[in-house]
Amino acid sequence: MNIYLGIDIGTSGTKTLAIQADGTILARATAFYPCFVPQPLWSEQNPDDWFAAVIKTVRQVLEQGKIAKEDVKAIGLSGQMHGSVFLDKNHKVIRNAILWNDQRTVKECEEIERLAGGRDSLISMVANPAMTGFTAPKILWLRNKEPENYEKLSKVLLPKDEIRRRLTGEFATEVSDASGMLLLDVAHRQWSQPLLSALQLDKNLLATVYESEEITGNLTKEAAELLGLTTNCQVVGGAGDCAAGAVGNGIVRSGILSTSIGTSGVMFIHSDEMKLDQQGRVHTFCHAVHGKWHMMGVNLSSGGSLQWFRNNLCDSLLEEAKKQNRDVYELMTAEAEKTPVGAEGLFFLPYLSGERTPHADPNARGAFIGLTLAHARGHLIRSIMEGVTFSMRDSLEIFRSLNVPVEEIRAGGGGSRSPFWRQMQADVFGQRVSTLNSDEGAAFGAALLATVGGGEYQNIEDACQVAVSTVQTVSPIPENQKIYQKSFPIYQQLYRSLKNDFQTIAQL
């Protein structure tokens, strides 16, 4: 029996799944690691922590599933997008990786647009404007702010591709993750030489680009021993976490949109043809589906906003959760459920890490607005969940304005596990929201890509047809929908009202 692994190198931890070719999950494991914030709005991690987590979770999965190492035919990799792993000529990591939610590169984004001949010219080259989370600005930041490290630079890899290098010895990436570097000609699915030349960057800094299901190498002897596998095990291209999560949700044909509430929030829709938002509010990237594209809106602090509140303002609930042996999020949600729809006029702007869609504003800040003495903790929790859902509706409205068909919405990520939050999405979006037979996210999508690379299916569409199915659908509650229809424009106006104040605050 052939077994396939999906490994997702996330921001909070690495998750590994083992599946059969039909998508049946045999075992799963997760290992966590820290994120470092050397300065406000900076975000870094040590790639050694990622690799240690990969070794740990793969071995745990093999043990839990009683899986013989010879049965593991292929591995699919997924991971947090946009991060930068800087390597020297000896393939040693030069400094901590700079992550997707890091906001230090405002000036470098301006530099890229200037060198590219303007924002419109840049979008024509790589389908997207310069944003602080992307990889290209991080490379320029290294050149501008740490020239001694830039002098050592030999390769720049994305997080999952650094793991690939350690597993196979190959410098390889794939189209979906590479799209988020701001260096890929998304239309032609290859590095953009015109932009590289304009930025005075050597193409040799970058990895070879593959399609997501293609084989990129086999495990080296050393890696096979560390993982408890064999050198016959192949590693496919995989996908960035957003595209991999979409594959895991079956977003592989036109008209299907996925919502994902993890640390960040993602609205992701498949496209058979490349479509652009000329205003650059949403991304256009290559999809993990061979020869296809997707559009995506990203909110930087979605589940992360609720996690921040849990970690800093819920000590009593954390203690109560321990006593009851329950997940603290269950208790938080229970308090939110007791609160009226709309949190009695309390709004939350979930811009704790700046924001990407639709504002592309690294200086945006989180805020509770409308607080009164009548508000309690449940109101705060509910307003966070509503604010996050409103931020995702921003992307949905952009898709609708571009006449992208949205026939079906599928919920994934940690937020999809909450019936309360799923219902809230249906109410805010004004459309039915479905859940699927698997909520394993990017790791599951990466494993499905491995089944295609391993020869079980001709393409990822066929794999999803077998492995992914809808199990439950919730419809909007009309009374709730009416309230949110009134509240959403107010939510949108709050950013516009505060935008200049956010810029002033950033200068303090």
Side-chain angles (χ1 to χ4, degrees):
M1 177 175 63
N2 291 331
I3 305 299
Y4 298 90
L5 302 186
I7 303 174
D8 177 34
I9 296 89
T11 310
S12 58
T14 285
K15 181 177 186 177
T16 296
L17 288 180
I19 69 169
Q20 295 176 353
D22 64 358
T24 300
I25 296 172
L26 302 176
R28 58 177 66 78
T30 303
F32 300 97
Y33 33 70
C35 183
F36 308 109
V37 184
Q39 296 185 32
L41 301 182
W42 287 26
S43 184
E44 300 181 354
Q45 284 181 328
N46 184 344
D48 290 344
D49 292 339
W50 302 334
F51 193 50
V54 168
I55 295 169
K56 180 179 180 180
T57 55
V58 169
R59 286 191 165 274
Q60 286 178 337
V61 161
L62 296 178
E63 181 179 353
Q64 291 171 15
K66 297 181 171 54
I67 298 168
K69 61 182 180 180
E70 296 83 6
D71 289 340
V72 180
K73 187 171 184 180
I75 295 172
L77 295 174
S78 177
Q80 49 178 296
M81 298 178 69
H82 315 303
S84 54
V85 179
F86 300 119
L87 302 177
D88 65 18
K89 63 181 179 180
N90 297 315
H91 308 161
K92 301 296 183 184
V93 175
I94 294 172
R95 69 178 318 283
N96 277 346
I98 305 174
L99 304 190
W100 57 275
N101 55 350
D102 189 285
Q103 300 289 351
R104 75 184 71 182
T105 60
V106 174
K107 293 186 182 302
E108 284 70 27
C109 287
E110 295 171 353
E111 181 181 358
I112 288 172
E113 292 201 350
R114 176 176 57 80
L115 293 174
R119 182 185 177 91
D120 290 344
S121 176
L122 178 63
I123 291 175
S124 72
M125 292 181 191
V126 291
N128 295 279
M131 295 188 178
T132 51
F134 288 176
T135 315
K138 296 176 172 64
I139 301 173
L140 269 61
W141 181 90
L142 191 76
R143 184 167 70 188
N144 293 339
K145 299 299 171 57
E146 296 183 356
E148 69 285 357
N149 282 332
Y150 187 79
E151 285 297 316
K152 303 174 187 176
L153 187 63
S154 176
K155 287 287 183 183
V156 181
L157 295 178
L158 295 160
K160 81 174 193 321
D161 300 325
E162 167 62 6
I163 297 303
R164 184 195 319 279
R165 179 190 70 82
R166 298 188 188 207
L167 295 180
T168 68
E170 301 292 335
F171 293 99
T173 188
E174 49 68 47
V175 291
S176 72
D177 214 0
S179 296
M181 294 183 75
L182 199 68
L183 295 171
L184 191 80
D185 178 345
V186 173
H188 299 97
R189 307 170 88 87
Q190 62 187 18
W191 298 122
S192 172
Q193 190 56 57
L195 182 57
L196 288 167
S197 298
L199 302 182
Q200 297 184 314
L201 295 176
D202 188 342
K203 183 179 177 181
N204 291 324
L205 286 173
L206 307 175
T208 303
V209 183
Y210 291 81
E211 289 287 334
S212 296
E213 79 284 359
E214 289 185 301
I215 300 298
T216 60
N218 283 47
L219 295 183
T220 65
K221 182 179 179 181
E222 179 183 6
E225 290 176 353
L226 287 171
L227 269 58
L229 298 172
T230 73
T231 55
N232 291 325
C233 181
Q234 300 172 312
V235 179
V236 304
D241 56 357
C242 296
V247 167
N249 285 339
I251 315 301
V252 295
R253 62 176 177 82
S254 180
I256 309 179
L257 178 145
S258 69
T259 76
S260 177
I261 301 177
T263 303
S264 61
V266 178
M267 298 289 274
F268 184 112
I269 193 159
H270 175 100
S271 180
D272 289 334
E273 300 176 350
M274 195 182 86
K275 295 187 177 183
L276 288 178
D277 173 27
Q278 294 296 338
Q279 297 181 51
R281 297 166 298 175
V282 294
H283 310 320
T284 296
F285 289 165
C286 299
H287 199 349
V289 182
H290 198 120
K292 305 298 182 181
W293 290 265
H294 69 83
M295 300 188 80
M296 179 172 66
V298 178
N299 310 104
L300 297 180
S301 293
S302 291
S305 292
L306 201 60
Q307 183 183 51
W308 163 81
F309 191 82
R310 178 202 69 179
N311 291 345
N312 294 283
L313 297 166
C314 289
D315 287 351
S316 62
L317 276 182
L318 285 165
E319 288 298 319
E320 186 61 30
K322 288 180 181 178
K323 291 178 183 177
Q324 297 185 26
N325 194 27
R326 295 174 64 188
D327 187 333
V328 67
Y329 287 115
E330 292 181 23
L331 302 185
M332 293 170 68
T333 300
E335 289 197 1
E337 283 186 277
K338 297 175 183 177
T339 303
V341 175
E344 296 188 300
L346 180 61
F347 289 83
F348 176 72
L349 302 185
Y351 308 145
L352 299 180
S353 298
E355 189 53 296
R356 186 178 298 178
T357 303
H359 308 303
D361 185 355
N363 293 322
R365 295 291 188 267
F368 287 105
I369 301 169
L371 275 169
T372 72
L373 293 174
H375 290 125
R377 183 170 58 195
H379 292 82
L380 296 172
I381 296 169
R382 181 166 196 132
S383 72
I384 290 174
M385 300 173 81
E386 290 177 342
V388 166
T389 311
F390 282 151
S391 74
M392 299 177 77
R393 180 171 165 179
D394 273 330
S395 297
L396 179 59
E397 293 302 321
I398 294 169
F399 296 149
R400 288 169 172 164
S401 73
L402 296 172
N403 296 316
V404 177
V406 182
E407 300 165 2
E408 181 183 352
I409 298 177
R410 296 177 175 180
S416 72
R417 299 188 185 99
S418 165
F420 176 68
W421 214 339
R422 290 199 304 271
Q423 182 63 61
M424 183 183 290
Q425 289 183 67
D427 296 341
V428 170
F429 301 154
Q431 285 189 233
R432 292 184 300 171
V433 173
S434 300
T435 51
L436 305 170
N437 57 320
S438 172
D439 64 352
E440 300 291 350
F444 186 62
L448 289 179
L449 289 166
T451 69
V452 180
E456 301 285 353
Y457 301 98
Q458 185 174 355
N459 53 53
I460 192 60
E461 296 97 317
D462 290 346
C464 289
Q465 184 69 29
V466 172
V468 181
S469 60
T470 299
V471 295
Q472 186 179 14
T473 299
V474 294
S475 298
I477 297 172
E479 295 80 4
N480 296 353
Q481 187 179 351
K482 288 179 182 178
I483 294 172
Y484 289 135
Q485 279 294 94
K486 293 180 180 179
S487 299
F488 180 62
I490 299 172
Y491 167 85
Q492 290 184 302
Q493 179 59 40
L494 288 173
Y495 171 79
R496 294 190 288 267
S497 298
L498 292 168
K499 178 180 179 179
N500 291 337
D501 296 317
F502 289 148
Q503 311 308 311
T504 303
I505 291 170
Q507 302 304 316
L508 294 177

